[in-house]
């Protein structure tokens, strides 16, 4: 799941790259793309758009080398977009908090005792807080869960796994063709795994072993 705002990211990258005492940023498009987390192609398209809108100006140095700078209207655009972005993020956070709370309450009713979170680090504090409220274990590292399981000589019973929808596209799963997440993590097949999008749709987990 992607919460990014490419235009805002690139504008902020240009701003951060501006040298102290110089209104122009001496960076290549490749460097800007890397800083903003965007492809070079998208960065090129956005830079042209910014120049057309008067948010960015450029200066040719030594023939091919180009320096970029934000105009006053570009700075205003950053400020406006940042406020809008964080307002949306705050609204989303409240929605996610409520959905996660409903989900955790549901698995507690089903007598699950712990939750393992995979690939949702930006939301781990919401899951951690809800698990704390409902007094069930919370893990965001399977190695920690496995170590505690071995130390307590317990089994996998009572665990629910919550996974990011796009985890298969992550670096951790790169090259793992034909291997699902449970296989990759060494999680038994019978352990329930639910995607974050399913939590947003209020899909419940039923404990058939309780």
């Amino acid at each position: 799941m992607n919460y990014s705002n490419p235009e805002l990211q690139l504008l902020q990258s240009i701003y951060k790259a501006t040298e102290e005492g110089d209104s122009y940023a001496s960076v290549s498009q490749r460097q800007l793309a890397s800083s903003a987390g965007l492809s070079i192609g998208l960065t090129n398209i956005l830079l042209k758009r910014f120049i057309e809108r008067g948010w960015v100006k450029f200066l040719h140095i030594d023939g091919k080398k180009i320096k970029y700078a934000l105009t006053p209207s570009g700075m205003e655009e950053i400020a406006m977009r940042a406020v809008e972005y964080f307002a949306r993020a705050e609204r989303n956070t409240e929605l996610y908090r409520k959905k996660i709370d409903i989900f955790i309450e549901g698995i507690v009713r089903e007598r699950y005792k712990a939750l393992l979170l995979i690939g949702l680090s930006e939301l781990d504090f919401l899951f951690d807080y809800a698990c704390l409220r409902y007094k069930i274990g919370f893990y965001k590292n399977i190695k920690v869960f496995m170590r505690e399981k071995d130390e307590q000589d317990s089994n996998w019973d009572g665990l629910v796994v919550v996974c990011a929808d796009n985890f298969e596209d992550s670096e951790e799963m790169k090259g793992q063709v034909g291997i699902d997440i449970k296989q990759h993590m060494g999680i038994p097949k019978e352990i329930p795994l639910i995607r974050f999008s399913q939590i947003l749709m209020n899909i419940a987990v039923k404990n058939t072993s309780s």
Side-chain angles (χ1 to χ4, degrees):
M1 196 171 290
N2 187 0
Y3 308 101
S4 65
N5 183 325
E7 289 193 347
L8 177 59
Q9 287 172 230
L10 185 55
L11 285 168
Q12 289 177 325
S13 292
I14 296 171
Y15 174 73
K16 290 175 183 177
T18 302
E19 297 172 348
E20 188 173 350
D22 186 352
S23 60
Y24 285 86
S26 182
V27 290
S28 66
Q29 283 193 20
R30 185 178 296 276
Q31 289 171 314
L32 284 174
S34 176
S35 174
L38 306 173
S39 68
I40 295 175
L42 179 56
T43 298
N44 182 265
I45 291 170
L46 291 179
L47 283 172
K48 289 179 180 178
R49 185 182 300 171
F50 294 167
I51 291 168
E52 289 173 359
R53 292 175 179 174
W55 298 345
V56 170
K57 57 185 177 180
F58 65 93
L59 179 68
H60 282 284
I61 304 292
D62 299 330
K64 294 183 179 180
K65 195 172 181 181
I66 297 176
K67 283 188 173 185
Y68 298 94
L70 290 172
T71 64
S73 61
M75 293 292 291
E76 289 176 8
E77 190 67 22
I78 284 183
M80 182 182 70
R81 283 173 178 258
V83 169
E84 291 175 352
Y85 175 76
F86 286 112
R88 286 197 303 272
E90 186 177 358
R91 289 195 296 271
N92 286 341
T93 298
E94 180 60 18
L95 169 65
Y96 298 156
R97 186 194 65 76
K98 290 178 180 178
K99 294 288 187 178
I100 290 168
D101 199 73
I102 291 169
F103 174 74
I104 299 298
E105 183 181 17
I107 65 174
V108 168
R109 280 200 306 268
E110 292 293 318
R111 300 187 180 182
Y112 284 102
K113 299 175 182 177
L115 182 145
L116 172 64
L117 191 66
I118 300 175
L120 284 163
S121 59
E122 69 273 20
L123 297 175
D124 59 7
F125 71 101
L126 294 176
F127 282 95
D128 194 359
Y129 177 70
C131 288
L132 183 65
R133 279 190 63 209
Y134 288 99
K135 299 179 181 179
I136 68 169
F138 172 70
Y139 301 89
K140 53 184 178 180
N141 187 319
I142 192 168
K143 292 180 180 178
V144 174
F145 171 80
M146 294 287 286
R147 185 174 66 246
E148 291 189 10
K149 181 176 74 68
D150 293 341
E151 288 174 353
Q152 297 169 11
D153 195 25
S154 59
N155 53 34
W156 292 85
D157 290 347
L159 178 70
V160 172
V161 178
V162 175
C163 184
D165 288 78
N166 61 349
F167 186 70
E168 284 85 349
D169 298 328
S170 68
E171 285 294 320
E172 187 169 340
M173 290 292 288
K174 187 174 288 185
Q176 303 290 321
V177 180
I179 298 178
D180 65 21
I181 293 170
K182 289 183 182 179
Q183 282 180 292
H184 175 70
M185 294 285 186
I187 299 170
K189 290 182 179 180
E190 62 271 18
I191 299 301
L193 184 149
I194 189 164
R195 303 288 182 162
F196 184 63
S197 60
Q198 293 176 297
I199 292 177
L200 296 181
M201 292 185 289
N202 296 324
I203 294 176
V205 175
K206 296 295 182 182
N207 191 345
T208 56
S209 64
S210 62

